[in-house]
Amino acid sequence: MSTRLTSKHSVEAHAGFVTPAGAAWLASATSYPRSTLALWESRPTAPVVLPCGTAFDVVSVPAVFGRRMLDRLWEEGPGSGPVATYRGRTLIFAAPGTAHRLPSLLAWEEWGEAVPTPLCHGIGDAVTVPAPAPATTPAGRDGSRWLVAPDTRHPWLPGPEVLLWAGVKAARSAVRISIFPPPESDAKVYDVSRRR
């Protein structure tokens, strides 16, 4: 089954559980995948640091904005690949090369201060990912958990254009922008559209 999802119901079904194929995909990012898998077999609730840039890139955004992006991806877009939360951040796993391309695409957008700048992790970077097995507490000891857990050896990963689209949609849903100044409190407003 592919991780590319189209409904929230499907997303909720995949939260928190990494399949053996998904764990193999995560471990494939390391130089020693068998050692990583052996670590997880002996300590299935241990988070691990994985390098980015070969199997995946990671786009990290504040948790609330990340959830808005995911809502847009699931409700209006193509779905998402694996997604995790870790220490107040949403980690969106993306196609290799996204970390290099996304910042230049974002530079074209006029975000202002309403939208947080994402941290893009690619070649030469590493991220801490939640353990493959769910922890005994709902969000782990450090607040980490899988929102969409890897469940296949070749998950679909969004590219920079898809994440740009999701970021723009999330920003627009979070901030209402008007080209008109707010009305003065004592100003009289007349409806000029109903002239006689």
Side-chain angles (χ1 to χ4, degrees):
M1 172 183 247
S2 171
T3 310
R4 185 174 176 175
L5 304 169
T6 57
S7 73
K8 282 188 178 183
H9 180 69
S10 297
V11 170
E12 299 304 325
H14 286 71
F17 182 76
V18 177
T19 65
W25 171 71
L26 287 169
S28 74
T30 68
S31 299
Y32 303 102
R34 286 189 288 172
S35 296
T36 302
L37 290 171
L39 169 70
W40 277 331
E41 283 180 21
S42 65
R43 296 181 55 211
T45 59
V48 69
V49 176
L50 297 177
C52 300
T54 54
F56 53 80
D57 282 0
V58 172
V59 176
S60 172
V61 293
V64 172
F65 188 73
R67 187 58 197 218
R68 285 188 187 124
M69 286 180 66
L70 264 40
D71 287 345
R72 298 293 73 77
L73 287 167
W74 293 329
E75 293 171 4
E76 304 170 30
S80 72
V83 180
T85 61
Y86 190 78
R87 294 191 177 175
R89 309 273 307 173
T90 299
L91 307 176
I92 303 171
F93 287 70
T98 299
H100 176 72
R101 181 79 177 114
L102 185 60
S104 61
L105 292 174
L106 290 171
W108 284 91
E109 296 295 327
E110 295 180 9
W111 297 118
E113 294 181 17
V115 177
T117 302
L119 303 175
C120 298
H121 304 284
I123 294 174
D125 297 326
V127 294
T128 302
V129 300
T136 55
T137 60
R141 286 172 280 161
D142 52 9
S144 65
R145 68 186 176 105
W146 289 101
L147 297 176
V148 180
D151 65 354
T152 180
R153 192 84 161 106
H154 303 284
W156 177 79
L157 299 171
E161 294 83 6
V162 172
L163 293 180
L164 173 68
W165 171 85
V168 168
K169 294 293 258 183
R172 288 181 182 159
S173 71
V175 178
R176 298 289 176 211
I177 299 171
S178 175
I179 61 172
F180 301 105
E184 296 176 23
S185 60
D186 61 346
K188 296 195 187 291
V189 179
Y190 300 97
D191 183 2
V192 295
S193 63
R194 300 182 70 194
R195 291 185 179 174
R196 294 184 188 172

